[in-house]
């Protein structure tokens, strides 16, 4: 299953990239939403290879997730790999400078089930595809507005 979204932000490319790779701030923001997250691998100034472990509630069950930053090409490309149970995810974040003060964020996420229960989950997500895509785009829009607001101040 593949989900994609595109948002434009009124901020320069380098500022948007810096905000998206400020993992300390992102970790705090995630924790405020009630998700437990812990950095399991810190690579210092070289971002590629950083990894996190997390726990969250989804559909009434506690889920474990492992996230790794697989690829980092500053300032325009980030690739994350996610594993949660039998579900593997691949997220591609691309930044494009539309002008000196405007940046477009393209996010494409692919989910691939590796177990029977994960296949059932993805199948139920596919049945609600319209709703899932709408929620994904809305969430990306909110994230873009929050990022834009934070960069202005």
């Amino acid at each position: 299953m593949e989900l994609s979204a595109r948002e434009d932000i009124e901020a320069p490319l380098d500022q948007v990239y810096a905000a998206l790779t400020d993992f300390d701030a992102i970790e705090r923001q995630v924790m405020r939403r009630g998700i437990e997250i812990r950095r399991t691998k810190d690579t210092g100034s070289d971002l590629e290879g950083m990894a996190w472990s997390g726990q969250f509630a989804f559909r009434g069950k506690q889920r474990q997730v492992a996230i790794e930053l697989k690829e980092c090409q500053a300032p325009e490309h980030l690739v994350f790999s996610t594993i949660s149970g039998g579900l593997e995810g691949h997220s591609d974040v691309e930044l494009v400078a539309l002008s000196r003060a405007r940046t477009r964020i393209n996010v494409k996420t692919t989910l691939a089930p590796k177990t029977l229960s994960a296949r059932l989950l993805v199948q139920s997500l596919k049945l609600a595809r319209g709703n899932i895509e709408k929620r994904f785009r809305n969430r990306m829009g909110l994230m873009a507005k929050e990022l834009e607001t934070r960069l202005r101040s």
Side-chain angles (χ1 to χ4, degrees), residues 35-81:
I35 298 171
E36 293 178 32
I37 193 157
R38 177 175 51 87
R39 196 176 298 189
T40 56
K41 187 175 178 187
D42 193 347
T43 57
S45 62
D46 182 28
L47 300 177
E48 202 167 297
M50 289 184 80
W52 297 266
S53 173
Q55 184 175 354
F56 61 96
F58 181 71
R59 292 191 174 185
K61 292 176 82 175
Q62 284 295 321
R63 311 282 179 168
Q64 302 289 327
V65 66
I67 304 166
E68 184 179 355
L69 179 57
K70 290 285 190 180
E71 191 177 323
C72 181
Q73 297 173 354
E76 64 258 336
H77 197 226
L78 298 166
V79 176
F80 294 91
S81 174

Side-chain angles (χ1 to χ4, degrees), residues 69-133:
L69 179 57
K70 290 285 190 180
E71 191 177 323
C72 181
Q73 297 173 354
E76 64 258 336
H77 197 226
L78 298 166
V79 176
F80 294 91
S81 174
T82 308
I83 298 173
S84 181
L87 189 63
E88 292 183 5
H90 180 84
S91 297
D92 203 349
V93 180
E94 185 178 308
L95 303 174
V96 179
L98 298 176
S99 68
R100 288 189 316 167
R102 193 167 179 84
T103 303
R104 176 168 289 161
I105 300 177
N106 294 314
V107 178
K108 184 167 71 169
T109 300
T110 306
L111 300 175
K114 300 298 179 189
T115 63
L116 181 60
S117 60
R119 284 182 191 201
L120 293 172
L121 173 65
V122 170
Q123 192 61 37
S124 68
L125 293 175
K126 283 182 180 179
L127 291 173
R129 184 176 196 93
N131 259 350
I132 299 294
E133 286 178 341

Side-chain angles (χ1 to χ4, degrees), residues 16 26 30 117 126:
V16 174
I26 293 170
V30 167
S117 60
K126 283 182 180 179

